[in-house]
Amino acid sequence: MSRLPVAKTYKLFIGGAFPRSESGRVYDVATPTGEFIANASKASRKDARDAVVAARAAVAKWSGATANNRGQVLYRIAEMLEGRTAQFIDEIQKSTGASAKDASAEVHAAIDLLVWYAGWTDKYAQVVGGANPVAGPFFNLSVPEPTGVVAVVAPQTGPTSLLGLVATVAPALVTGNTVVVIASESSPCAAMSFAEVVATSDVPGGVVNILTGSPTEMTPWLASHQDINAIDLTGADSELALACERDAAETLKRVVRPGQFSATLGSIDRIGAFVETKTVWHTKSLS
Amino acid sequence: MSNSESDIARRAARLYYDENKTQDEIGEMLDITRWKVGRLLALAREVGIVSISITDSATPSERSSSGIIPTDRSRAQGVTDTQSLRSFLRRLPAVDAIGLEARAATLATRSIKTESKRAALDTIIRLVDLTTLEGADTPGKVKSLVAKALVPDASDPTTPRVAAVCVYPDMVAHAVAALGPNRGDGESGIAVASVATAFPSGRSTIDVKLADTRFAVDKGATEIDMVIDRGAFLSGDLETVFNQIVLVREACVRADGSHAHLKVILETGELRTYDNIKRASWLAILAGADFIKTSTGKVQPAATLPTTVLMLEVVRDWFHLTGERIGVKPAGGIRQSKDAIRYLVAVAEVAGEEWLTPHLFRFGASSLLNDVLLQRQKMTTGRYSGPDYVTVD
């Protein structure tokens, strides 16, 4: 008996839920040879706005969690991803045309990267923070703190529909930031399946928000948004990145430029792009 | 006290105590208002024209145990005793719940164009009763609430002021002091509204409720938000509900004869059915409400669009019947500009645009104002704003 295949409509991931775009728009996702794979939601600026509200609401809980707990949760994402390796390999192959070997390598690299960043959660403060030497009976301590809500334009090209997303999102999560990320427009399937992984990995709702659609349409709204603390423009083309950096300056956002960090490798400096250093003085004793 | 006043007080006292006339009847006979009669009688006792010796104090609760106290409004509708009140409310057509909800849903889909949205946001601000009703309220918090009422958005001086601040009775004096010369009636200046009558449950004796009300009025409240006795209403004791509103309204009268505006909170979330809400609305209007208000904000569900549409229909019907306009105040649960705009649409389409003034429509809200300000900033600057750019309440 023949059967009609059920084509998936990928939704957005906002505040721990999977809503359609408020605009009602969808777009076709196709293989490099033009064959239809699935429908994906085309997010609007209002979806981006809603995602920022969700991300802002999640900052207190995520940044207030212990570093150990954040590490456990990031490791949990890696675990869940491992269990669904086959699905991701299939999705990456279909949407990017990668070979089975390359797709498999990409998924494994993404999992390893998550484990690597998970390990940094309770060690990062030791590396970049510490006691400063002062000439007086005081402790002078510097500690890195999360900056808040981070907007990310994930890499749009190359074999990076999953790895590029993980490489840009994970470092922001390490110190307790929450993220609104615009996934790869042309191959969003792996990104939205990653959302399903995140949703089942004890990540509090709103900590990771994933939008699919046009970065050219949404990024300027995020760059000028007054309730975002940092923007990672890794996946933006140079013209868009320049305009967005100019807008971001209006509200003193931290900006990561395209090419500033590798789109696939882990980097401790990338964690540092989304922290603020707090320095406190404290008397050595009360006597 | 002038001679003529003591004469008239003496006549009123004789009619009231010797001939058992009601205050209303005396008012008609002497061509003065019922409130004036009440004050004259009080005066008569004060200066010794009348001396009463009683073994049991005659409390308002006793006064209300013998049928309803008719008001001018109720008498005009033929409601003079408990029986006629009961049959008046029973004769009201039943509410078509499905139709009402469908109507509210249709009103919620009206598209608002950008240029109208700006006007709508400003109108919302003008209609807000900025509220703080927490156990943790302090004089400092009331002071900052008033500051926000006066200057909602310091970054934009064109932002209008809100209609009123709404506080607990013991905070009224602080609000009045903080407002100073800016106090008014909602349009001329910012009104001071106070909840009273054992808010939010209303579970206390009528004497306590009246004392609560008088206290707030004495301290300078220009509006009183009272709660009805929902327990009495649900158990069919309409008399108690009616009389308490009448008595609280009397307690709103100030020494100079003017009176604080009375908003009657129905607590629609506890009345269960639309029919009950409709009857309670009519009852409150007959008993003398200046405003009917949906909820205390302490009970879920609080204000909903269908409930508000229903209450707007009641005040519209009352206007057609008598030519008198009664206000409506949805309160609780309206947190976003988008929702508030839907209420504006409902007001304009159900009651009429003339209701969109602080005298006839209010939002009881605390967090709504910040959202409206964020939307307003978005329209001014063209970029999304955030909570860092409005006050922390």
Side-chain angles (χ1 to χ4, degrees), chain B residues 36-283:
Chain B
K36 177 78 177 167
V37 174
R39 281 195 303 282
L40 285 172
L41 290 172
L43 194 68
R45 282 199 298 277
E46 221 174 346
V47 301
I49 295 172
V50 176
S51 68
I52 304 174
S53 81
I54 29 174
T55 44
D56 273 333
S57 60
T59 62
S61 39
E62 282 175 14
R63 190 178 148 202
S64 63
S65 65
S66 53
I68 66 162
I69 311 161
T71 63
D72 294 342
R73 276 189 198 159
S74 76
R75 238 191 299 272
Q77 302 307 318
V79 174
T80 51
D81 54 20
T82 310
Q83 194 49 47
S84 52
L85 173 66
R86 205 170 285 282
S87 61
F88 181 90
L89 294 181
R90 202 175 290 143
R91 278 201 311 275
L92 293 172
V95 180
D96 168 8
I98 304 292
L100 176 65
E101 280 165 14
R103 171 101 168 107
T106 321
L107 291 173
T109 60
R110 294 280 188 275
S111 134
I112 307 293
K113 300 294 171 224
T114 310
E115 56 272 27
S116 318
K117 194 173 164 194
R118 182 59 185 255
L121 292 175
D122 283 1
T123 307
I124 292 167
I125 298 175
R126 277 191 208 97
L127 298 177
V128 161
D129 278 7
L130 196 58
T131 304
T132 180
L133 296 171
E134 304 294 335
D137 283 350
T138 58
K141 190 173 176 202
V142 170
K143 218 169 153 183
S144 59
L145 185 85
V146 168
K148 174 138 190 184
L150 290 168
V151 185
D153 186 350
S155 70
D156 183 356
T158 65
T159 315
R161 288 177 171 180
V162 303
V165 290
C166 182
V167 294
Y168 271 119
D170 62 335
M171 290 293 155
V172 168
H174 300 297
V176 169
L179 275 170
N182 294 312
R183 187 160 60 114
D185 64 357
E187 225 150 11
S188 64
I190 294 171
V192 178
S194 171
V195 297
T197 71
F199 180 94
S201 68
R203 292 258 68 83
S204 190
T205 63
I206 180 67
D207 308 277
V208 170
K209 293 182 184 182
L210 294 177
D212 204 13
T213 310
R214 285 196 199 101
F215 176 80
V217 174
D218 280 351
K219 291 296 174 192
T222 51
E223 299 173 359
I224 294 293
D225 289 25
M226 72 166 289
V227 290
I228 65 165
D229 186 337
R230 281 90 74 189
F233 185 88
L234 291 172
S235 59
D237 184 2
L238 301 179
E239 212 170 274
T240 301
V241 183
F242 191 91
N243 287 349
Q244 287 194 352
I245 299 173
V246 175
L247 293 168
V248 171
R249 195 189 158 89
E250 284 175 11
C252 287
V253 178
R254 297 189 197 95
D256 65 358
S258 63
H259 74 95
H261 277 255
L262 180 65
K263 306 195 199 111
V264 177
I265 304 172
L266 309 179
E267 195 62 292
T268 52
E270 290 184 341
L271 297 183
R272 302 282 168 205
T273 67
Y274 289 130
D275 286 332
N276 277 347
I277 294 167
K278 185 173 185 178
R279 291 193 192 109
S281 301
W282 278 96
L283 182 146

Side-chain angles (χ1 to χ4, degrees), chain A residues 191-282:
Chain A
M192 291 324 293
S193 295
F194 181 71
E196 291 167 11
V197 168
V198 170
T200 50
S201 302
D202 304 329
V203 180
V207 171
V208 177
N209 304 277
I210 306 182
L211 305 170
T212 54
S214 162
T216 322
E217 181 189 340
M218 285 182 283
T219 316
W221 289 99
L222 293 173
S224 67
H225 199 303
Q226 295 182 297
D227 201 25
I228 289 178
N229 303 93
I231 186 161
D232 180 341
L233 296 166
T234 299
D237 61 50
S238 54
E239 196 185 331
L240 178 64
L242 189 66
C244 287
E245 188 169 348
R246 200 176 289 129
D247 282 344
E250 292 282 320
T251 49
L252 305 179
K253 282 185 190 67
R254 294 188 172 278
V255 174
V256 171
R257 292 178 175 152
Q260 187 176 339
F261 298 107
S262 157
T264 53
L265 300 174
S267 153
I268 186 169
D269 290 338
R270 189 161 205 151
I271 302 175
F274 309 113
V275 296
E276 311 291 338
T277 300
K278 179 173 80 180
T279 298
V280 289
W281 293 75
H282 198 286

Side-chain angles (χ1 to χ4, degrees), chain A residues 64-82:
Chain A
T66 61
N68 176 275
N69 181 241
R70 279 199 301 276
Q72 302 273 349
V73 171
L74 288 180
Y75 187 81
R76 177 81 176 152
I77 302 176
E79 281 181 352
M80 299 299 281
L81 204 51
E82 179 89 29

